[in-house]
């Protein structure tokens, strides 16, 4: 349990710092907007580019990733469907509903949890590749279309990678990796330093968004509850069913798949909702609530599937 707490601590501390910054007015009224745009347009693209240039793109083509992907698609699809059928959300908001239900916090929480519980973060690295190269472009394309940024026909949609800094940085990083090319140290080091600012700044921005917000109504609480149940319960159970029953994964691989599927919603959902001018309430509350709930569900997963000795 202590190892899990050490992974969760940065999330709570940096979110609290963000709340205090907003409450004191230290950075001014526009700080949340400016920091949010900094994360989306500068720091996060730098982080993804740096990560992908040093990654092996063939690592996520395996049966364990297939089980994880199945759980992700199932939970995300149900989240999208719930946004449409139960809560009558607009198309762009449905994309955030799906993301809140199925996009795991693989970076700042998944890596420390994997190192502490699994002994290494190799599977989390594969999940990062899967989410960055496959899931994020789909979500961003839906957001682009749903908010009107995709108007202009097929040509404008095909230009999405160029217009979106996250997709463009990911694509460039993947191309360099596939070609076996590396940036010179004089460029790679500044990029890594800039990318390192993405997660803490996103969490501080998340904390700032908590200040001055009224409590969610019954409908909002219900929507957050559905997203959290899908994220922390349905997604790991779906991954368990596919990995254990259909693919018959070895126990250590099954533990990695289910544990990572039980990770809470990533703060990327909040970052994307803010950048596209959507309500951030669902994304913000899903991140915070699922992070709290997952402290228990991750412990249960390890108790059920972890080593017996």
């Amino acid at each position: 349990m202590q190892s899990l707490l050490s992974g969760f601590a940065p999330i709570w501390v940096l979110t609290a710092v963000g709340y205090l910054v907003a409450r004191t007015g230290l950075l001014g009224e526009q700080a949340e907007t400016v920091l949010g745009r900094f994360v989306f347009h500068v720091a996060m693209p730098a982080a993804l580019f740096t990560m992908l240039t040093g990654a092996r793109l063939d690592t996520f083509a395996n049966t364990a990733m297939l089980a994880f992907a199945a759980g992700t698609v199932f939970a995300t699809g149900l989240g999208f469907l719930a946004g449409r059928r139960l809560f009558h959300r607009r198309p762009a908001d449905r994309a955030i509903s799906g993301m809140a239900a199925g996009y795991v916090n693989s970076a700042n929480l998944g890596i420390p949890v994997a190192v502490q519980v699994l002994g290494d973060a190799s599977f989390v690295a594969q999940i990062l590749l899967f989410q960055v190269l496959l899931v994020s472009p789909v979500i961003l394309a839906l957001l682009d279309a749903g908010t009107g940024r995709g108007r202009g026909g097929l040509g404008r949609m095909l230009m999405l990678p160029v217009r979106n800094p996250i997709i463009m940085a990911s694509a460039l990083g993947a191309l360099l990796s596939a070609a076996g090319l590396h940036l010179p140290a004089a460029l790679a080091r500044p990029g890594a330093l800039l990318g390192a600012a993405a997660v803490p700044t996103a969490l501080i921005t998340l904390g700032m968004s908590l200040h001055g917000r009224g409590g969610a109504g019954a409908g909002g609480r219900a929507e957050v509850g559905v997203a959290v149940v899908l994220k922390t319960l349905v997604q790991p159970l779906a991954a368990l069913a596919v990995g254990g029953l259909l693919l018959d994964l070895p126990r250590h691989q099954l533990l990695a798949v289910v544990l990572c599927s039980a990770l809470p919603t990533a703060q990327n959902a909040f970052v994307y909702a803010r950048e596209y001018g959507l309500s951030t309430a669902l994304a913000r509350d899903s991140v915070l609530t699922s992070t709290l709930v997952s402290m228990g569900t991750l412990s249960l997963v390890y108790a059920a599937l972890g080593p017996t000795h």
Side-chain angles (χ1 to χ4, degrees):
M1 187 64 180
Q2 184 176 358
S3 61
L4 290 178
L5 288 175
S6 66
F8 282 98
I11 296 177
W12 297 121
V13 171
L14 291 176
T15 301
V17 168
Y19 176 81
L20 290 174
V21 166
R23 184 176 178 85
T24 58
L26 181 65
L27 299 182
E29 295 181 357
Q30 298 300 315
E32 183 185 337
T33 299
V34 173
L35 289 178
R37 292 185 65 80
F38 169 76
V39 171
F40 188 88
H41 290 275
V42 181
M44 189 175 291
L48 295 175
F49 177 80
T50 301
M51 183 270 290
L52 286 170
T53 54
R56 290 182 53 192
L57 300 184
D58 59 347
T59 56
F60 66 95
N62 56 67
T63 53
M65 272 307 306
L66 181 60
F68 178 85
T72 297
V73 171
F74 186 65
T76 302
L78 287 179
F80 187 91
L81 188 62
R84 180 182 179 182
R85 297 289 188 181
L86 299 181
F87 305 107
H88 310 292
R89 293 298 186 183
R90 298 175 302 166
D93 289 303
R94 295 173 203 160
I96 297 299
S97 299
M99 195 174 184
Y103 199 101
V104 307
N105 189 338
S106 56
N108 61 308
L109 184 56
I111 290 175
V113 167
V115 170
Q116 295 287 344
V117 177
L118 302 175
D120 68 83
S122 58
F123 187 65
V124 176
Q126 298 170 31
I127 291 173
L128 276 165
L129 290 175
F130 168 71
Q131 292 194 145
V132 168
L133 295 177
L134 297 178
V135 180
S136 283
V138 173
I139 295 293
L140 290 168
L142 291 172
L143 289 171
D144 219 53
T147 56
R149 297 189 186 183
R151 291 174 183 170
L154 180 61
R156 183 169 174 82
M157 288 301 296
L158 292 176
M159 290 297 292
L160 176 60
V162 177
R163 293 183 291 106
N164 188 292
I166 289 178
I167 297 180
M168 182 171 63
S170 301
L172 289 175
L175 286 175
L176 286 179
S177 176
L181 301 177
H182 300 280
L183 289 179
L187 295 177
R189 180 60 177 165
L193 287 173
L194 184 57
V199 167
T201 308
L203 289 172
I204 288 173
T205 308
L206 177 66
M208 294 178 72
S209 74
L210 296 173
H211 180 254
R213 303 297 197 272
R221 289 193 296 270
E223 191 171 10
V224 172
V226 169
V228 171
V229 168
L230 290 174
K231 179 71 226 54
T232 60
L233 184 62
V234 174
Q235 184 173 359
L237 286 177
L240 175 64
V242 174
L245 299 178
L246 297 181
L247 300 178
D248 195 24
L249 294 176
R251 190 179 182 90
H252 68 281
Q253 289 187 7
L254 189 61
L255 171 62
V257 168
V258 179
L259 188 79
C260 292
S261 297
L263 289 167
T265 304
Q267 64 270 8
N268 299 46
F270 168 80
V271 172
Y272 291 3
R274 164 161 286 286
E275 173 60 25
Y276 279 83
L278 305 173
S279 171
T280 60
L282 172 62
R284 179 195 68 214
D285 294 347
S286 295
V287 170
L288 295 174
T289 307
S290 66
T291 300
L292 180 62
V293 172
S294 67
M295 294 177 67
T297 54
L298 288 169
S299 299
L300 289 175
V301 169
Y302 183 74
L305 299 175
T308 56
H309 58 276

